Amino acid sequence: MERFPISPGERPEETDPSRHSADTASATINEQGIVIGWSEGARRLLGYVTSEVIGLPAARLLADVVSDAARRAPPGQERWSGTVALRHRDGHRVDVGLLAHRSTTTGGAGKWLVLSPVPGTSRTPWNESMREWAFTQSPCLLAIFDTDLRLMRANAGVERALSLSEAAMRGLRLPDIAPDPVSDEIERRMRLALETGEPQRVGTFVQPAGTSAEHDWATSLAPLRDPDGQVRAVCLAAHDRTEVESTRQQPSLLSDADAHIGTTLNSARTAQELTDVTVPRLADFVAVDLLDPPPRGDEPPPGPAAGPVAMCRTAVRSVLAGSPESPVGVGGTIVYPPLSPPAECLTAGRGVMYGTDDPVIARWVAQDPGAAWVREYGTHSMMAVPLRAGGVALGMAVFGRHQRREPFEPEDLRLAERLTTRAAVSIHNARRHTRERTNTMTLQRSLLPQTLPDQRALEIASRYLPASTESGVGGDWFDVIPLSGARVALVVGDVVGHGMRAAATMGRLRTAVRTLADVDLPPDELLTHLDDLIIHLTSDEAGAEGAGGIGTTCLYVVYDPVSRHCTLARAGHPPPAVVSPDGAVYLLDVPVGPPLGLGGLPFETMETELAEGSILALYTDGLLQTRDHDIDDALDGMFAALSRPASTLETVCDRVLTGLLTHRPEDDVALLVARTRALHADRVAAWELPSDPSIVAQARRRTADQLTAWGLDEATFVTELMVSELVTNAIRYGRPPIQLRLIHENSTLICEVSDSSSTAPHMRRARTFDEGGRGLLLVAQLAQRWGTRHAPIGKTIWAEQSLAGY
């Protein structure tokens, strides 16, 4: 025989023996009609071995010559069946019925799989007994009624459903067998089937004994015809769609669980969502009980509980109004005795299923008054399923059925376990988030000012609101730092991001700001040092999440109550608002610098004079960037709140927050409000001094006279000593002009000596025979604190002493 080549990719193939046994003849034919597959069954049918057939045109196997058109299936047809005459290898004719399926290869070519049973291989002959078995053992309810609509035959399903034997029902009409309006409707439809010869359908059936009303029945009525076409009877077939719907319900229930369980980071809400999803679709009653979070996430010890297990009833739902099955309300404590099913479930770490006739349930009900609901409400089936996630037992869920008559099945338990697992993961995440948020807030609050420092330059009020639970605590902070010369620094900052890392970065920055403020750096230089710090932090944390603080903003303000001058600089932070004594509100046009962490860009300062009694408001962007307002509306709201007269700054803070925040903020909010005070001329004395050693005595006399005028004679001796040493150092090591200034601020006396030299003094310990070097050491011992601050030209040495002891 002439063979044809097989296309590339169409290698000869054997039919999968697991799919087609030797009793089935199968062959594979490509689109060109060439045989490319041959099975053992095909060999038995036609006698050809595989090597004799592969590559031959399939038409060579036909016993009759047919046209090319007859050999081809209609275009687009995927299945063909019919009887074909084939030629056996020994030449005799074989008439067989064929079934052919078309499929597409991975290369896109089509092929046909042709199948036929091998004659004489049927193991079970079809006979009347088989027909009888099919009728009596069918899973459907089958019954045959004659033309008078009297029962002729009924299968075992009908007998079970109606709790009657076929003999007891034979010869009776359906309304006689089961008096019910449904029976009347079915009989009416059977009569229509007899009269019209058309099948009828009814969406219900007589409620079978022992089943609940929740069963969904479908009934079909078909006329039965004799060989002459005459309708001789009607066949009733009914099947229960409840099991089918129950099987379909599982994917639907799981899909709903994905959408509705764990929508928030709230354990109680998640527990309630679990009960809402499962009642009434899975159970008639569900309760979720949670254990208190274990310390450090420890897992309860293995083995049976040593004592009763106490849990918090977190959620409950029932098909009965008010969930009367629950012995305690939501939020109450429920205690399960040792060895009770819920306690055993929690210990074993897996779900269990019980019938209420189980001795374990009976013992529990007898032992625990809180389990009386099992008997009282007719619960006949229960499941207890633990909630576990992250290796930790979180609690458990109890499922019960008392309205639905079907008991829980293993499929129901598996479904409940999948649902509770989803809820447990959400609850575990919520608890972890809550724990992390608590730790972060604890850290953050420990880093924020606990009390505002005592100073006379400004009246201060502040507010701090952490972000909502979903957003996480951020890195906003504020500080009030007393400086030399009765000045005060105000700082507000916002570290990018949320969580522990943002809070830790905030703590580092706040510490750095305090350190830099202590050396009296100007605002622009201080921000430059902070910028460098953020860059170093980013470099140190390379590979960690985020950008290490890049994008952090800061506003630094220094107020001098003597000159009433305010010096400001900002790094990407919103400008402060000012309320003048006459009620006008405006933003200070502070030159905006880049956020911290970019590096290489300068910061600029702004100086302005504020009238006594002006209000200065510093804030973070969480105050203005709310979901309810755009930025312009938020600014208008803040201006309106600030402009309203208020007796205290606490009232001002409350008005601002109330006016702008209608819900928990999505970002942290820090608000710092200050009212300016002034130190008038009667509290400040200043003298220009020539650079002459003889002037030191005059400086002491002027100091003594001024202290007498202030009523501070008792402080004269110490102050004269400090003035003498500081003025002497300025004359000896500094450059003119030299200024002596005394500031009396409440219980503090400040002595300052300025000169034009930028050389910073340093304290040292003089040796025995040294003639100098003891001045700053003496000042340090006499003063409460002392230091140096630099100006664009020159420096100032200052010393403070407390007047509390005088």
Side-chain angles (χ1 to χ4, degrees):
M1 290 185 180
E2 181 183 0
R3 287 179 170 79
F4 288 80
I6 299 173
S7 302
E10 285 188 339
R11 62 184 182 186
E13 58 185 45
E14 294 280 348
T15 302
D16 184 357
S18 65
R19 288 192 57 192
H20 306 291
S21 68
D23 297 338
T24 300
S26 65
T28 306
I29 302 171
N30 66 13
E31 292 282 25
Q32 288 72 41
I34 306 302
V35 178
I36 61 173
W38 193 254
S39 72
E40 173 61 20
R43 184 198 65 76
R44 293 181 58 191
L45 179 66
L46 296 182
Y48 296 101
V49 298
T50 302
S51 60
E52 295 176 317
V53 177
I54 295 297
L56 285 178
R60 301 284 180 89
L61 301 177
L62 298 176
D64 298 328
V65 177
V66 295
S67 66
D68 289 341
R71 293 195 193 114
R72 301 181 182 276
Q77 184 169 326
E78 301 295 324
R79 180 177 297 177
W80 179 90
S81 64
T83 301
V84 177
L86 301 177
R87 182 72 61 190
H88 194 275
R89 187 174 185 275
D90 62 10
H92 76 272
R93 178 188 178 108
V94 181
D95 292 315
V96 297
L98 296 182
L99 173 63
H101 302 279
R102 187 180 186 278
S103 62
T104 303
T105 66
T106 55
K111 63 180 181 180
W112 288 85
L113 176 64
V114 183
L115 303 162
S116 179
V118 177
T121 59
S122 176
R123 295 183 176 85
T124 307
W126 179 254
N127 52 33
E128 289 301 321
S129 296
M130 187 89 52
R131 293 188 177 93
E132 182 66 18
W133 297 340
F135 182 86
T136 58
Q137 299 176 30
S138 170
C140 295
L141 278 61
L142 296 177
I144 298 175
F145 293 82
D146 62 18
T147 53
D148 292 329
L149 301 182
R150 297 184 180 277
L151 182 73
M152 300 171 61
R153 289 290 311 274
N155 73 349
V158 174
E159 291 180 325
R160 289 192 303 271
L162 300 181
S163 299
L164 292 170
S165 66
E166 182 189 52
M169 295 184 288
R170 190 179 297 124
L172 297 176
R173 295 168 46 231
L174 184 59
D176 298 330
I177 298 170
D180 190 285
V182 173
S183 298
D184 296 333
E185 174 62 18
I186 293 176
E187 187 177 70
R188 187 182 72 82
R189 294 297 184 94
M190 284 195 292
R191 194 173 304 282
L192 282 175
L194 290 173
E195 293 172 353
T196 63
E198 298 293 333
Q200 304 291 318
R201 286 181 173 80
V202 182
T204 186
F205 185 61
V206 182
Q207 193 62 49
T211 61
S212 72
E214 295 176 356
H215 277 256
D216 184 16
W217 293 89
T219 302
S220 299
L221 305 168
L224 301 180
R225 303 176 185 273
D226 62 14
D228 296 329
Q230 288 289 104
V231 177
R232 297 297 185 181
V234 60
C235 176
L236 178 152
H239 69 274
D240 185 2
R241 291 184 293 199
T242 304
E243 292 185 2
V244 176
E245 294 301 321
S246 175
T247 303
R248 292 176 180 172
Q249 168 181 290
Q250 291 201 16
S252 172
L253 197 54
L254 291 172
S255 176
D256 287 349
D258 284 335
H260 296 105
I261 295 180
T263 59
T264 64
L265 287 172
N266 183 294
S267 299
R269 178 61 186 162
T270 300
Q272 189 61 52
E273 289 167 347
L274 172 61
T275 64
D276 291 343
V277 166
T278 51
V279 175
R281 297 167 66 181
L282 179 62
D284 299 322
F285 168 71
V286 177
V288 178
D289 304 320
L290 297 182
L291 293 162
D292 290 334
R296 301 178 303 280
D298 294 338
E299 187 176 0
V309 180
M311 289 188 275
C312 175
R313 176 132 298 179
T314 309
V316 64
R317 187 174 176 87
S318 171
V319 295
L320 304 179
S323 303
E325 302 96 323
S326 179
V328 299
V330 172
T333 299
I334 186 141
V335 179
Y336 292 111
L339 304 180
S340 64
E344 288 289 283
C345 152
L346 195 64
T347 300
R350 61 178 181 274
V352 290
M353 187 170 57
Y354 297 97
T356 50
D357 56 352
D358 192 301
V360 175
I361 298 293
R363 184 171 62 249
W364 176 39
V365 173
Q367 179 186 11
D368 182 10
W373 63 273
V374 176
R375 292 279 187 260
E376 184 176 350
Y377 292 94
T379 302
H380 61 84
S381 187
M382 282 182 55
M383 294 188 297
V385 183
L387 275 71
R388 294 180 61 86
V392 177
L394 305 175
M396 61 170 303
V398 176
F399 301 80
R401 282 184 178 175
H402 48 64
Q403 299 296 302
R404 196 183 307 192
R405 294 187 180 182
E406 304 79 31
F408 287 118
E409 301 290 345
E411 292 78 9
D412 297 317
L413 179 59
R414 286 192 288 271
L415 177 60
E417 288 175 333
R418 295 179 68 178
L419 295 174
T420 53
T421 296
R422 297 185 185 201
V425 170
S426 295
I427 291 172
H428 178 67
N429 290 338
R431 286 185 169 181
R432 183 175 59 185
H433 179 86
T434 300
R435 184 167 56 250
E436 291 176 354
R437 174 180 168 82
T438 300
N439 293 339
T440 303
M441 290 189 66
T442 300
L443 172 63
Q444 188 181 51
R445 285 172 178 167
S446 69
L447 297 174
L448 289 172
Q450 304 302 307
T451 58
L452 297 178
D454 183 25
Q455 45 79 36
R456 286 284 301 166
L458 296 168
E459 177 189 351
I460 301 288
S462 64
R463 292 290 185 274
Y464 173 78
L465 294 179
S468 62
T469 302
E470 289 77 10
S471 302
V473 179
D476 292 17
W477 95 95
F478 64 90
D479 211 345
V480 179
I481 308 171
L483 302 177
S484 64
R487 297 168 306 132
V488 175
L490 304 177
V491 58
V492 172
D494 185 357
V495 175
V496 67
H498 296 84
M500 186 72 73
R501 196 160 166 271
T505 302
M506 177 269 285
R508 290 179 173 182
L509 288 180
R510 180 170 179 257
T511 301
V513 169
R514 280 190 162 267
T515 301
L516 296 171
D518 279 345
V519 296
D520 264 317
L521 287 182
D524 55 338
E525 292 186 27
L526 184 141
L527 292 182
T528 300
H529 283 283
L530 285 185
D531 189 43
D532 292 339
L533 174 62
I534 289 292
I535 292 173
H536 289 314
L537 290 178
T538 303
S539 176
D540 291 343
E541 296 175 0
E545 64 167 308
I550 290 179
T552 295
T553 65
C554 184
L555 170 64
Y556 188 76
V557 179
V558 176
Y559 174 70
D560 186 346
V562 177
S563 64
R564 291 183 282 106
H565 280 187
C566 193
T567 308
L568 312 92
R570 62 182 177 127
H573 202 83
V578 174
V579 184
S580 64
D582 60 6
V585 185
Y586 58 94
L587 293 177
L588 283 177
D589 189 18
V590 183
V592 59
L596 301 176
L598 298 182
L601 298 174
F603 299 96
E604 298 181 46
T605 60
M606 170 193 178
E607 290 193 10
T608 186
E609 184 174 325
L610 297 178
E612 184 178 4
S614 299
I615 294 178
L616 193 62
L618 289 68
Y619 49 89
T620 54
D621 59 5
L623 180 67
L624 301 181
Q625 295 177 357
T626 61
R627 71 178 77 160
D628 299 333
H629 310 285
D630 60 28
I631 188 68
D632 292 331
D633 290 340
L635 281 173
D636 291 342
M638 183 176 69
F639 283 7
L642 290 172
S643 63
R644 293 173 57 190
S647 57
T648 67
L649 293 185
E650 300 292 335
T651 302
V652 174
C653 289
D654 292 339
R655 284 178 180 172
V656 171
L657 296 182
T658 302
L660 296 181
L661 304 178
T662 58
H663 49 76
R664 287 287 301 278
E666 296 179 354
D667 194 7
D668 287 19
V669 173
L671 175 64
L672 188 61
V673 178
R675 180 181 281 122
T676 61
R677 294 169 176 155
L679 283 176
H680 299 287
D682 61 343
R683 291 283 179 169
V684 180
W687 301 276
E688 298 292 334
L689 302 177
S691 182
D692 183 351
S694 63
I695 202 66
V696 176
Q698 184 181 349
R700 287 200 299 267
R701 287 196 303 272
R702 289 179 178 179
T703 299
D705 293 342
Q706 185 61 55
L707 293 183
T708 299
W710 283 340
L712 301 176
D713 294 303
E714 295 182 0
T716 301
F717 177 74
V718 172
T719 308
E720 280 186 332
L721 285 177
M722 289 194 294
V723 167
S724 179
E725 294 299 333
L726 294 178
V727 172
T728 299
N729 280 348
I731 294 172
R732 181 176 298 177
Y733 303 110
R735 291 204 300 254
I738 299 171
Q739 183 188 68
L740 168 63
R741 187 169 73 159
L742 300 178
I743 301 173
H744 180 201
E745 183 193 23
N746 285 349
S747 60
T748 301
L749 180 64
I750 304 170
C751 176
E752 297 182 342
V753 176
S754 305
D755 69 82
S756 299
S757 171
S758 298
T759 303
H762 62 279
M763 185 171 57
R764 64 185 179 87
R765 189 173 296 277
R767 290 170 295 188
T768 305
F769 298 104
D770 287 350
E771 294 183 359
R774 298 177 177 84
L776 286 181
L777 180 60
L778 179 62
V779 171
Q781 291 176 336
L782 294 175
Q784 185 177 19
R785 65 187 190 118
W786 75 281
T788 304
R789 68 172 180 270
H790 290 268
I793 298 177
K795 64 179 180 300
T796 298
I797 312 297
W798 55 270
E800 292 182 5
Q801 57 178 311
S802 175
L803 301 176
Y806 298 115

